[in-house]
Amino acid sequence: MAIKKPSEMTIQELNDYISVLQKELKKNKKYGLIWDREDIPESIVLKCKDNIPVLTINDSASVIRGTDNNILIEGDNFHVLTTLNYILQGSIDLIYIDPPYNTGNDTGDGGFSYNDKFVNAEDGFIHSKWLNFMSKRLKLARNLLKQDGSIFVSIDDREQANLKLLCDSIFGSKNFVAQLIWTNKEGGGGSDSKFFKTKHEYILCYARDINFYETKNVDIEDESRYKLSDKYVNTRGKYQLVKLASASIQYSKSLDYPIEMPDGTNVYPVDNSDKERACWRWSKSKLEWGISNDFVVYKKDKKGIWQVYTKQYTNCDKDGNLVPRTKTPLALIDKFSSTQASNKLIELFGTKKFKYPKPVDLMKWIIDRCPNLNCKVLDFFAGSGTTGQAVLELNKEDGGHRKFILCTNNENNICTDVCYPRLKTVITGIRQDGSKYSDGIPANLYYFKTDFVKDEVNRDQAKYSLVEKCNGLLCILEDCYDLVSSHNVWFEYSSNDKELFIYNDFYSEDSFNEMKKRILEVKKPCILYVFSTSDSLDAIDLGELDNVVVKPIPSKIYEIYKEIVEGIKRGE
């Protein structure tokens, strides 16, 4: 039941309400973000209290043209994130989202729908509703990240501060990686250019666990600085000289030592002031290594004072390994433009089709920060599908085997008319009108939709109803999608390296033996899921299937669903 508005309460009800709020505030009193909770919970979320979200595959919309399997899911992202939590917890390398910026614009231009209505700028709870909306989804998303995974979230000035505090509370402030600033190279002004013209947005980055997080460096951009050559030029490339003395690193006594020059004199790092002292960038042992391997140069400057330099080669890292030199990426991204992004859609469709898409090259830059070329990328605010195109193009460029999972609702037919045909065109190279767009990029795309199973009072009945619609979830879990045969109570799916069998009925000796006969004919490794009201398979005669991995369903799925429902009940 909805809580009364304060103006509708009696004096006693108002005092009781204030008392409850004071207790809540005291309980949550800490540095962070506290906002108004929902008087009327989000209907999308409440639907999960009595209905179990599942995923069903649309075979006719799938695109098969390669080996890497990618997924597009049409449905509300809270429902999709719930289903992915059943099967993919701790398995996603990188999440990127471009959520609604909460502009209060009811055309959908950066606005968002809450309980089937766009939240407009006059709504007194516009920020609280957005925070409730985002909080539920980010909590589910966090569960999906690997230990070394990361999430990137685009935002602008309106909610940047709130989002930062919200992410601190969900991911932990210690796991904050960086706040990137993207300067829209050809973008116009922000929503209010009266006083200052804004051409930038923010991208917050958090690690699942900062102790395991790594980021890939970027290529050096100004190779013109590397002008010098020596006898190693064919392997190490050209080089530039960099002073060994530095005042920009924290002073350490172990790095403050004398170095003997060719004339027998000693030089030290130079004192800058009484408060700040310089030291060498290298330790004594690193210097000895550098001298032995010809990475060190002694030269007198114009004043006749000895200086110590190190050689920085284009094809050599700081440890002397023969790899192209890279540098730590800047938090300021001063390239890529929204104009470029719009032109990309026009090239694909002939018309713009979608407002304010992110540039494909920006997405490639972000995804490329993950060192794993076989990473799984999730975008649950997929919109026009830029993230998917970025993954496909990046794989083509560097030979990677990244895979994506995109989720978008079908508001204004964005999934069916923009996201799906865009991905299909990039993969096949053929536009919707039959004209050639490109040579295509080999990949597979499987199209899923959300569906629901009624959560029965009788848990065994609920599990039985659930297992009848588990196939799509299990295909995603096992990365095995191609239906070979469908029988009354069992199904067979195939991939390049395995065969997936699903037995979704109570044990029947005749039908089970029919399926076992087929399994014994398969030469590839097999995985068999068998219906069980618990996690036990004791009542099932597996017979000679000793070389098959057998797993029970759907108890684990149902348990995770119930955990999420308990969170909904607590208002989390």
Side-chain angles (χ1 to χ4, degrees):
M1 185 160 74
I3 300 172
K4 290 182 180 179
K5 296 179 180 178
S7 59
E8 299 171 346
M9 295 180 182
T10 65
I11 296 297
Q12 184 59 49
E13 288 174 334
L14 192 57
N15 285 333
D16 291 342
Y17 184 49
I18 291 171
S19 178
V20 169
L21 293 178
Q22 287 175 330
K23 289 178 181 178
E24 282 292 312
L25 186 60
K26 187 175 181 180
K27 181 176 71 175
N28 294 302
K29 192 175 181 181
K30 58 184 179 180
Y31 175 77
L33 183 64
I34 299 173
W35 68 91
D36 298 290
R37 299 297 178 180
E38 301 161 310
D39 283 354
I40 303 175
E42 191 180 352
S43 57
I44 288 289
V45 175
L46 285 181
K47 186 171 184 177
C48 292
K49 286 180 68 175
D50 302 309
N51 298 277
I52 310 169
V54 293
L55 299 175
T56 58
I57 191 168
N58 181 351
D59 289 314
S60 63
S62 297
V63 182
I64 312 300
R65 199 174 176 270
T67 56
D68 295 332
N69 298 324
N70 303 285
I71 298 168
L72 172 62
I73 307 173
E74 178 189 328
D76 182 86
N77 54 20
F78 182 85
H79 298 151
V80 173
L81 288 168
T82 298
T83 64
L84 296 181
N85 264 263
Y86 305 154
I87 53 175
L88 295 182
Q89 287 190 6
S91 66
I92 301 296
D93 297 272
L94 185 146
I95 297 174
Y96 170 80
I97 56 172
D98 186 17
Y101 286 6
N102 204 14
T103 61
N105 188 329
D106 62 8
T107 64
D109 171 16
F112 75 106
S113 177
Y114 199 83
N115 284 332
D116 301 323
K117 292 182 180 179
F118 273 101
V119 180
N120 62 50
E122 285 71 43
D123 191 317
F125 293 90
I126 183 172
H127 298 290
S128 295
K129 288 179 178 179
W130 186 85
L131 285 165
N132 283 313
F133 172 85
M134 291 297 297
S135 176
K136 293 179 177 66
R137 288 154 178 82
L138 288 174
K139 286 176 180 177
L140 290 174
R142 179 182 179 272
N143 296 337
L144 299 174
L145 285 173
K146 285 183 177 178
Q147 192 172 38
D148 61 350
S150 59
I151 182 170
F152 292 79
V153 187
S154 283
I155 200 68
D156 71 1
D157 289 320
R158 294 177 189 84
E159 296 292 356
Q160 176 274 332
N162 287 334
L163 178 64
K164 174 68 169 63
L165 290 172
L166 178 64
C167 288
D168 281 348
S169 68
I170 292 174
F171 297 97
S173 57
K174 66 181 183 299
N175 293 315
F176 172 67
V177 176
Q179 177 169 278
L180 310 178
I181 299 174
W182 169 47
T183 59
N184 193 341
K185 195 171 183 180
E186 299 171 29
S191 60
D192 186 355
S193 304
K194 182 178 180 181
F195 302 108
F196 296 95
K197 184 176 181 179
T198 56
K199 290 183 62 176
H200 67 274
E201 296 180 11
Y202 306 96
I203 305 170
L204 294 181
C205 177
Y206 281 80
R208 179 65 175 84
D209 187 332
I210 199 72
N211 296 308
F212 295 89
Y213 177 72
E214 292 182 10
T215 187
K216 180 182 172 184
N217 283 353
V218 296
D219 295 334
I220 55 173
E221 295 173 344
D222 187 7
E223 289 197 29
S224 62
R225 293 178 294 127
Y226 298 80
K227 299 176 179 178
L228 304 174
S229 300
D230 59 17
K231 61 184 179 181
Y232 308 105
V233 67
N234 291 332
T235 53
R236 298 180 184 177
K238 292 186 176 183
Y239 70 91
Q240 66 172 335
L241 293 178
V242 182
K243 280 189 176 182
L244 186 61
S246 174
S248 63
I249 61 175
Q250 184 175 350
Y251 177 79
S252 171
K253 190 174 182 179
S254 65
L255 297 177
D256 189 357
Y257 55 86
I259 299 177
E260 186 178 348
M261 296 295 101
D263 62 4
T265 59
N266 288 333
V267 298
Y268 292 82
V270 179
D271 290 348
N272 292 300
S273 69
D274 292 337
K275 295 180 180 179
E276 188 176 311
R277 299 180 63 191
C279 55
W280 304 118
R281 290 183 291 107
W282 287 4
S283 65
K284 284 184 180 181
S285 59
K286 180 71 179 286
L287 178 67
E288 291 171 359
W289 168 87
I291 294 171
S292 299
N293 292 279
D294 202 5
F295 278 86
V296 178
V297 172
Y298 308 121
K299 286 178 61 177
K300 285 186 177 181
D301 60 20
K302 293 179 180 179
K303 296 180 181 180
I305 299 172
W306 282 108
Q307 300 290 345
V308 185
Y309 298 89
T310 62
K311 295 180 182 179
Q312 191 178 87
Y313 294 92
T314 55
N315 295 330
C316 227
D317 68 13
K318 61 184 178 63
D319 297 316
N321 299 308
L322 294 176
V323 293
R325 176 167 288 277
T326 60
K327 65 178 183 178
T328 303
L330 291 174
L332 177 65
I333 307 170
D334 58 353
K335 50 189 175 180
F336 318 126
S337 75
S338 55
T339 302
Q340 172 202 59
S342 296
N343 290 340
K344 181 72 76 172
L345 284 188
I346 293 172
E347 185 183 352
L348 277 157
F349 293 107
T351 58
K352 191 172 181 180
K353 280 276 189 178
F354 186 76
K355 289 184 177 181
Y356 311 115
K358 287 291 185 290
V360 173
D361 287 339
L362 173 63
M363 290 299 95
K364 285 157 70 173
W365 188 94
I366 291 171
I367 295 165
D368 197 35
R369 302 287 62 78
C370 179
N372 181 6
L373 269 63
N374 300 321
C375 67
K376 288 183 181 177
V377 179
L378 169 65
D379 182 349
F380 53 90
F381 284 99
S384 68
T386 304
T387 301
Q389 182 171 352
V391 168
L392 294 168
E393 290 189 2
L394 202 55
N395 283 341
K396 183 179 180 180
E397 290 171 12
D398 64 14
H401 292 279
R402 303 169 188 86
K403 299 176 182 179
F404 64 75
I405 300 175
L406 304 189
C407 160
T408 184
N409 59 27
N410 204 26
E411 189 175 282
N412 298 322
N413 297 324
I414 184 65
C415 187
T416 54
D417 292 357
V418 182
C419 189
Y420 169 70
R422 176 184 193 171
L423 298 173
K424 184 176 180 180
T425 296
V426 173
I427 292 172
T428 63
I430 305 298
R431 296 185 182 92
Q432 284 179 287
D433 63 5
S435 62
K436 183 176 180 178
Y437 166 71
S438 69
D439 292 332
I441 301 175
N444 299 330
L445 178 68
Y446 294 94
Y447 193 116
F448 286 81
K449 290 186 177 183
T450 52
D451 197 359
F452 296 88
V453 175
K454 182 72 175 174
D455 183 22
E456 307 288 349
V457 176
N458 183 317
R459 289 202 168 196
D460 285 349
Q461 179 58 47
K463 290 178 183 179
Y464 183 71
S465 299
L466 174 59
V467 81
E468 289 184 310
K469 291 196 172 184
C470 269
N471 288 20
L473 294 168
L474 297 177
C475 286
I476 294 174
L477 175 60
E478 298 297 343
D479 197 29
C480 187
Y481 302 92
D482 299 329
L483 182 64
V484 176
S485 60
S486 172
H487 302 267
N488 188 31
V489 295
W490 63 274
F491 302 83
E492 179 185 354
Y493 295 85
S494 183
S495 70
N496 290 331
D497 60 352
K498 74 179 75 167
E499 211 79 357
L500 170 64
F501 291 85
I502 303 170
Y503 188 86
N504 67 5
D505 200 358
F506 292 102
Y507 178 72
S508 165
E509 188 173 357
D510 290 341
S511 57
F512 201 81
N513 284 339
E514 177 190 0
M515 181 187 64
K516 285 200 295 185
K517 182 180 178 181
R518 168 59 189 151
I519 292 176
L520 291 171
E521 296 173 353
V522 177
K523 303 303 180 184
K524 291 183 287 188
C526 294
I527 296 174
L528 168 61
Y529 282 89
V530 179
F531 171 66
S532 173
T533 54
S534 65
D535 280 331
S536 172
L537 296 171
D538 294 341
I540 297 173
D541 179 16
L542 298 176
E544 61 270 43
L545 298 182
D546 55 353
N547 62 336
V548 177
V549 177
V550 184
K551 303 177 183 180
I553 49 169
S555 288
K556 189 63 178 177
I557 292 174
Y558 191 71
E559 287 170 16
I560 294 173
Y561 161 72
K562 281 299 186 184
E563 288 174 8
I564 293 172
V565 168
E566 286 304 311
I568 295 171
K569 290 178 180 177
R570 293 192 298 267
E572 296 176 353

